[in-house]
Tab-separated table of all heavy atoms in Angstrom:
chain	number	residue	atom	x	y	z
K	68	ASP	N	-44.594	-46.876	121.954
K	68	ASP	CA	-45.304	-45.863	122.777
K	68	ASP	C	-45.999	-46.486	123.948
K	68	ASP	O	-46.477	-47.658	123.814
K	68	ASP	CB	-46.268	-45.083	121.915
K	68	ASP	CG	-45.622	-44.081	120.917
K	68	ASP	OD1	-44.428	-43.783	121.119
K	68	ASP	OD2	-46.397	-43.647	120.035
K	69	LYS	N	-46.113	-45.736	125.021
K	69	LYS	CA	-46.779	-46.250	126.153
K	69	LYS	C	-48.309	-46.275	125.975
K	69	LYS	O	-48.912	-45.230	125.573
K	69	LYS	CB	-46.433	-45.526	127.364
K	69	LYS	CG	-47.011	-46.143	128.662
K	69	LYS	CD	-46.303	-45.767	129.922
K	69	LYS	CE	-45.009	-46.347	130.055
K	69	LYS	NZ	-44.526	-46.241	131.375
K	70	LEU	N	-48.953	-47.338	126.209
K	70	LEU	CA	-50.410	-47.452	126.273
K	70	LEU	C	-50.845	-47.026	127.684
K	70	LEU	O	-50.048	-47.101	128.598
K	70	LEU	CB	-50.838	-48.882	125.956
K	70	LEU	CG	-50.608	-49.382	124.569
K	70	LEU	CD1	-50.885	-50.873	124.429
K	70	LEU	CD2	-51.520	-48.646	123.594
K	71	PRO	N	-52.121	-46.644	127.792
K	71	PRO	CA	-52.646	-46.357	129.100
K	71	PRO	C	-52.623	-47.639	130.019
K	71	PRO	O	-52.736	-48.692	129.547
K	71	PRO	CB	-54.036	-45.964	128.842
K	71	PRO	CG	-54.441	-46.511	127.567
K	71	PRO	CD	-53.151	-46.637	126.798
K	72	SER	N	-52.389	-47.330	131.286
K	72	SER	CA	-52.460	-48.445	132.296
K	72	SER	C	-53.852	-48.899	132.593
K	72	SER	O	-54.045	-49.989	133.127
K	72	SER	CB	-51.721	-47.932	133.576
K	72	SER	OG	-50.403	-47.672	133.272
K	73	CYS	N	-54.747	-47.998	132.297
K	73	CYS	CA	-56.141	-48.204	132.632
K	73	CYS	C	-57.025	-47.366	131.771
K	73	CYS	O	-56.693	-46.285	131.416
K	73	CYS	CB	-56.392	-47.871	134.108
K	73	CYS	SG	-58.040	-47.994	134.772
K	74	ILE	N	-58.173	-47.955	131.388
K	74	ILE	CA	-59.173	-47.181	130.552
K	74	ILE	C	-60.467	-47.094	131.277
K	74	ILE	O	-60.933	-48.109	131.772
K	74	ILE	CB	-59.274	-47.782	129.199
K	74	ILE	CG1	-58.041	-47.743	128.341
K	74	ILE	CG2	-60.426	-47.102	128.314
K	74	ILE	CD1	-58.002	-48.523	127.065
K	75	VAL	N	-61.068	-45.955	131.267
K	75	VAL	CA	-62.408	-45.730	131.913
K	75	VAL	C	-63.313	-45.232	130.823
K	75	VAL	O	-63.007	-44.232	130.133
K	75	VAL	CB	-62.299	-44.734	133.071
K	75	VAL	CG1	-63.696	-44.573	133.707
K	75	VAL	CG2	-61.365	-45.240	134.160
K	76	LEU	N	-64.438	-45.905	130.641
K	76	LEU	CA	-65.410	-45.548	129.585
K	76	LEU	C	-66.729	-45.253	130.129
K	76	LEU	O	-67.282	-45.951	130.979
K	76	LEU	CB	-65.548	-46.664	128.600
K	76	LEU	CG	-64.391	-47.213	127.861
K	76	LEU	CD1	-64.688	-48.484	127.142
K	76	LEU	CD2	-63.866	-46.169	126.940
K	77	ASP	N	-67.390	-44.163	129.689
K	77	ASP	CA	-68.784	-43.934	130.009
K	77	ASP	C	-69.560	-44.869	129.057
K	77	ASP	O	-69.061	-45.393	127.993
K	77	ASP	CB	-69.088	-42.412	129.571
K	77	ASP	CG	-70.512	-42.053	130.001
K	77	ASP	OD1	-71.170	-42.632	130.845
K	77	ASP	OD2	-71.056	-41.117	129.328
K	78	ILE	N	-70.815	-45.064	129.345
K	78	ILE	CA	-71.601	-45.939	128.482
K	78	ILE	C	-72.240	-45.078	127.403
K	78	ILE	O	-72.129	-45.382	126.185
K	78	ILE	CB	-72.726	-46.650	129.227
K	78	ILE	CG1	-72.151	-47.680	130.281
K	78	ILE	CG2	-73.762	-47.331	128.363
K	78	ILE	CD1	-71.838	-48.971	129.675
K	79	ASN	N	-72.926	-44.034	127.723
K	79	ASN	CA	-73.742	-43.244	126.782
K	79	ASN	C	-72.952	-42.156	126.212
K	79	ASN	O	-72.804	-41.078	126.870
K	79	ASN	CB	-75.004	-42.810	127.486
K	79	ASN	CG	-75.890	-43.859	128.031
K	79	ASN	OD1	-76.191	-44.823	127.352
K	79	ASN	ND2	-76.243	-43.731	129.272
K	80	MET	N	-72.408	-42.336	124.973
K	80	MET	CA	-71.667	-41.406	124.273
K	80	MET	C	-72.027	-41.371	122.888
K	80	MET	O	-72.460	-42.381	122.328
K	80	MET	CB	-70.125	-41.623	124.380
K	80	MET	CG	-69.496	-41.651	125.750
K	80	MET	SD	-67.766	-42.021	125.728
K	80	MET	CE	-67.746	-43.788	125.348
K	81	PRO	N	-71.902	-40.219	122.181
K	81	PRO	CA	-72.116	-40.166	120.761
K	81	PRO	C	-71.017	-40.948	120.031
K	81	PRO	O	-69.916	-41.243	120.585
K	81	PRO	CB	-72.109	-38.681	120.384
K	81	PRO	CG	-71.230	-38.083	121.421
K	81	PRO	CD	-71.465	-38.903	122.655
K	82	GLY	N	-71.299	-41.343	118.778
K	82	GLY	CA	-70.320	-42.232	118.079
K	82	GLY	C	-70.330	-43.590	118.614
K	82	GLY	O	-71.444	-44.196	118.647
K	83	TRP	N	-69.265	-44.012	119.118
K	83	TRP	CA	-69.229	-45.394	119.742
K	83	TRP	C	-69.566	-45.205	121.239
K	83	TRP	O	-68.875	-44.430	121.889
K	83	TRP	CB	-67.854	-46.020	119.619
K	83	TRP	CG	-67.624	-46.640	118.257
K	83	TRP	CD1	-68.395	-46.570	117.191
K	83	TRP	CD2	-66.492	-47.412	117.975
K	83	TRP	NE1	-67.781	-47.283	116.177
K	83	TRP	CE2	-66.601	-47.830	116.623
K	83	TRP	CE3	-65.351	-47.852	118.688
K	83	TRP	CZ2	-65.692	-48.624	115.973
K	83	TRP	CZ3	-64.449	-48.631	117.967
K	83	TRP	CH2	-64.550	-49.003	116.673
K	84	ASP	N	-70.520	-45.983	121.747
K	84	ASP	CA	-70.762	-45.926	123.201
K	84	ASP	C	-69.758	-46.806	123.896
K	84	ASP	O	-68.867	-47.410	123.262
K	84	ASP	CB	-72.231	-46.375	123.444
K	84	ASP	CG	-72.504	-47.877	123.100
K	84	ASP	OD1	-71.538	-48.605	122.961
K	84	ASP	OD2	-73.651	-48.295	123.060
K	85	GLY	N	-69.855	-46.876	125.185
K	85	GLY	CA	-68.861	-47.597	125.984
K	85	GLY	C	-68.791	-49.062	125.702
K	85	GLY	O	-67.753	-49.682	125.687
K	86	ILE	N	-69.978	-49.671	125.425
K	86	ILE	CA	-70.019	-51.112	125.158
K	86	ILE	C	-69.314	-51.450	123.849
K	86	ILE	O	-68.540	-52.381	123.687
K	86	ILE	CB	-71.522	-51.664	125.192
K	86	ILE	CG1	-72.077	-51.454	126.574
K	86	ILE	CG2	-71.598	-53.084	124.764
K	86	ILE	CD1	-71.465	-52.331	127.685
K	87	GLN	N	-69.691	-50.681	122.832
K	87	GLN	CA	-69.038	-50.855	121.450
K	87	GLN	C	-67.519	-50.594	121.564
K	87	GLN	O	-66.745	-51.350	120.940
K	87	GLN	CB	-69.670	-49.920	120.481
K	87	GLN	CG	-69.332	-50.141	119.045
K	87	GLN	CD	-70.105	-49.268	118.092
K	87	GLN	OE1	-70.861	-48.401	118.498
K	87	GLN	NE2	-69.905	-49.485	116.818
K	88	THR	N	-67.147	-49.578	122.328
K	88	THR	CA	-65.671	-49.347	122.424
K	88	THR	C	-64.992	-50.491	123.161
K	88	THR	O	-63.918	-50.915	122.809
K	88	THR	CB	-65.489	-47.974	123.194
K	88	THR	OG1	-66.191	-46.995	122.492
K	88	THR	CG2	-64.015	-47.633	123.320
K	89	LEU	N	-65.646	-50.942	124.241
K	89	LEU	CA	-65.020	-52.085	125.058
K	89	LEU	C	-64.877	-53.286	124.140
K	89	LEU	O	-63.882	-53.916	124.137
K	89	LEU	CB	-65.934	-52.367	126.225
K	89	LEU	CG	-65.626	-53.633	126.989
K	89	LEU	CD1	-64.231	-53.527	127.717
K	89	LEU	CD2	-66.679	-53.940	128.018
K	90	LYS	N	-65.872	-53.588	123.327
K	90	LYS	CA	-65.827	-54.689	122.401
K	90	LYS	C	-64.649	-54.565	121.432
K	90	LYS	O	-63.905	-55.491	121.221
K	90	LYS	CB	-67.149	-54.822	121.643
K	90	LYS	CG	-67.270	-56.006	120.740
K	90	LYS	CD	-68.641	-56.079	120.078
K	90	LYS	CE	-68.952	-57.318	119.280
K	90	LYS	NZ	-67.964	-57.659	118.228
K	91	SER	N	-64.480	-53.435	120.882
K	91	SER	CA	-63.356	-53.170	120.004
K	91	SER	C	-62.017	-53.279	120.688
K	91	SER	O	-61.125	-53.942	120.135
K	91	SER	CB	-63.507	-51.732	119.399
K	91	SER	OG	-62.402	-51.438	118.629
K	92	LEU	N	-61.921	-52.822	121.882
K	92	LEU	CA	-60.624	-52.950	122.610
K	92	LEU	C	-60.262	-54.315	122.932
K	92	LEU	O	-59.164	-54.758	122.740
K	92	LEU	CB	-60.725	-52.112	123.903
K	92	LEU	CG	-60.751	-50.622	123.747
K	92	LEU	CD1	-61.083	-49.993	125.115
K	92	LEU	CD2	-59.550	-50.019	123.125
K	93	LYS	N	-61.269	-55.175	123.332
K	93	LYS	CA	-61.046	-56.524	123.774
K	93	LYS	C	-60.735	-57.447	122.553
K	93	LYS	O	-60.161	-58.470	122.704
K	93	LYS	CB	-62.158	-57.013	124.657
K	93	LYS	CG	-62.242	-56.328	125.969
K	93	LYS	CD	-60.954	-56.453	126.777
K	93	LYS	CE	-60.975	-55.706	128.099
K	93	LYS	NZ	-59.753	-55.827	128.816
K	94	GLU	N	-61.259	-56.996	121.438
K	94	GLU	CA	-61.014	-57.841	120.174
K	94	GLU	C	-59.633	-57.515	119.581
K	94	GLU	O	-59.228	-58.281	118.676
K	94	GLU	CB	-62.119	-57.621	119.122
K	94	GLU	CG	-63.443	-58.153	119.534
K	94	GLU	CD	-64.564	-57.910	118.636
K	94	GLU	OE1	-64.417	-57.043	117.764
K	94	GLU	OE2	-65.643	-58.574	118.776
K	95	ASP	N	-59.000	-56.463	119.954
K	95	ASP	CA	-57.742	-56.052	119.392
K	95	ASP	C	-56.609	-56.545	120.219
K	95	ASP	O	-56.488	-56.186	121.422
K	95	ASP	CB	-57.667	-54.486	119.299
K	95	ASP	CG	-56.454	-54.045	118.430
K	95	ASP	OD1	-55.382	-54.589	118.604
K	95	ASP	OD2	-56.716	-53.153	117.608
K	96	HIS	N	-55.729	-57.393	119.727
K	96	HIS	CA	-54.612	-57.998	120.511
K	96	HIS	C	-53.696	-56.968	121.131
K	96	HIS	O	-53.095	-57.249	122.116
K	96	HIS	CB	-53.834	-58.977	119.594
K	96	HIS	CG	-52.917	-58.281	118.658
K	96	HIS	ND1	-53.393	-57.790	117.467
K	96	HIS	CD2	-51.554	-58.023	118.752
K	96	HIS	CE1	-52.350	-57.210	116.809
K	96	HIS	NE2	-51.311	-57.312	117.520
K	97	ARG	N	-53.648	-55.762	120.590
K	97	ARG	CA	-52.785	-54.754	121.172
K	97	ARG	C	-53.324	-54.151	122.421
K	97	ARG	O	-52.555	-53.661	123.285
K	97	ARG	CB	-52.549	-53.606	120.154
K	97	ARG	CG	-51.901	-54.033	118.861
K	97	ARG	CD	-51.922	-52.969	117.803
K	97	ARG	NE	-53.287	-52.723	117.430
K	97	ARG	CZ	-53.675	-51.752	116.597
K	97	ARG	NH1	-52.788	-50.843	116.148
K	97	ARG	NH2	-54.973	-51.589	116.275
K	98	TYR	N	-54.630	-54.199	122.616
K	98	TYR	CA	-55.267	-53.574	123.777
K	98	TYR	C	-56.041	-54.481	124.715
K	98	TYR	O	-56.490	-53.997	125.772
K	98	TYR	CB	-56.240	-52.523	123.206
K	98	TYR	CG	-55.683	-51.663	122.094
K	98	TYR	CD1	-56.404	-51.415	120.912
K	98	TYR	CD2	-54.439	-51.052	122.208
K	98	TYR	CE1	-55.845	-50.679	119.896
K	98	TYR	CE2	-53.887	-50.294	121.216
K	98	TYR	CZ	-54.601	-50.122	120.026
K	98	TYR	OH	-54.135	-49.381	119.028
Side-chain angles (χ1 to χ4, degrees):
D68 284 347
K69 186 161 287 193
L70 291 169
S72 298
C73 177
I74 295 173
V75 178
L76 301 171
D77 185 27
I78 294 276
N79 301 310
M80 297 181 287
W83 281 8
D84 67 17
I86 298 295
Q87 189 173 7
T88 304
L89 173 65
K90 184 177 188 306
S91 175
L92 293 171
K93 293 303 180 180
E94 289 176 348
D95 191 315
H96 74 279
R97 298 170 295 174
Y98 315 130

